[in-house]
Structures are given as C-alpha cells and as structure tokens.
Amino acid sequence: MSERLKTGDTAPAFTLPDADGKDVSLADHKGRKVIVYFYPRALTPGCTKQACDFTDNLDLLTAAGYDVIGVSPDKPEKLAKFRDEENLKVTLVGDPAKETLEAYGAFGEKKNYGKTVTGVIRSTIVVDENGKVEHAFYNVRATGHVAKIIKDLGI
C-alpha cells in the first residue's frame, strides 16, 4: 500500500482512459482546481449515489473553479454504461492497473463489514491550480460526502 497524500504534496500525474476511451490527464486541468475522487466500482449503489451527488452539484463546483474526475478500476466500456444509465456529467476514468489508485493512497487494506480486505479506499483529493494537494479525504462515505466537500471548501 502506498502512502496517503497530505496537504502540500505534489499530486501524482496521471493519464487514464475516460468512458469513451479518450485519455484524460491531470495536466489537462493545469490552472484549474480539480476534485479527484476514487470509488470502488461503477454501477453499485454507493458509487452511484456518490457519482449522482457530484453530477447534481457539478454546476456549483465548476462555477467555483473546480473540475471533477472520478477514478475507479473499471474499464471504459463499464464507465460508459454507468455514465449513460445514470446520466452522469462528471468525467469518469478507469484505472484497471490500479497504478493511479495506489499513487494517491486510494488502494490498500480497508475494513469491509468487519473484515480486512484489499481494495479501493473511497477517497477524495482536491488538487489546486498548481498541482498541489489542497485537501486529502480518506475513508469517506458515499452519502453526504459531496455536501461535506462543498462546506469544507467554503463554496
């Protein structure tokens, strides 16, 4: 398991395929703040709730200067199905090799229903316009997390 990121760290660079198979890089967002959130699996109840919350608040976040990228280990085809079925507006990218998940400290041991398992740790990293970590939230809940981010960012 990799180290968790802290405020002031340089956000690890990444280039991952989106739901349409097009590459999306953190570098594409230079000069804008980016909310990068990590979730376990598309088309599951908690992940759907979280993605819908981000979509519902996307205009507010964009107006405040934030772009939103959701990262999961899913392949582009599954992300496209997820986006289309749920009418998601956030950018979804897939990391089947889990390299970006590990670089951000969002993959490793976690508790799931009382058992220790290895998997995606639901996390959100806010990256500033210079590529530095502004906030790092780990082990977040799917429900209510977007509202908490909005409050914490003062939006």
Side-chain angles (χ1 to χ4, degrees):
M1 183 169 105
S2 59
E3 293 286 312
R4 291 187 171 183
L5 298 176
K6 298 178 285 313
T7 301
D9 286 349
T10 297
F14 64 82
T15 300
L16 296 168
D18 71 5
D20 298 316
K22 291 197 254 350
D23 282 347
V24 173
S25 297
L26 183 61
D28 297 341
H29 299 269
K30 191 100 171 124
R32 297 228 355 127
K33 294 184 179 197
V34 185
I35 296 170
V36 185
Y37 79 96
F38 299 89
Y39 62 100
R41 198 165 58 233
L43 298 166
T44 58
C47 297
T48 298
K49 172 74 176 126
Q50 187 177 22
C52 288
D53 280 354
F54 272 116
T55 292
D56 292 346
N57 289 285
L58 191 59
D59 289 343
L60 176 69
L61 292 166
T62 301
Y66 293 89
D67 295 334
V68 179
I69 301 172
V71 182
S72 73
D74 298 305
K75 291 185 165 54
E77 305 79 43
K78 189 169 182 187
L79 296 174
K81 183 177 181 189
F82 187 34
R83 176 195 63 202
D84 297 344
E85 281 186 17
E86 300 298 336
N87 296 312
L88 301 174
K89 302 288 184 250
V90 295
T91 300
L92 300 174
V93 298
D95 181 22
K98 301 176 184 76
E99 290 170 0
T100 300
L101 287 157
E102 288 180 1
Y104 277 77
F107 189 84
E109 282 191 358
K110 63 180 185 174
K111 292 273 189 210
N112 195 12
Y113 299 107
K115 292 189 173 127
T116 301
V117 297
T118 300
V120 176
I121 299 163
R122 195 180 300 275
S123 312
T124 301
I125 308 300
V126 180
V127 181
D128 72 13
E129 46 282 268
N130 299 310
K132 298 283 189 196
V133 174
E134 194 173 279
H135 297 280
F137 305 99
Y138 289 95
N139 294 313
V140 302
R141 298 204 173 278
T143 305
H145 179 60
V146 175
K148 182 180 178 342
I149 288 172
I150 289 168
K151 182 174 180 269
D152 287 353
L153 295 177
I155 300 173

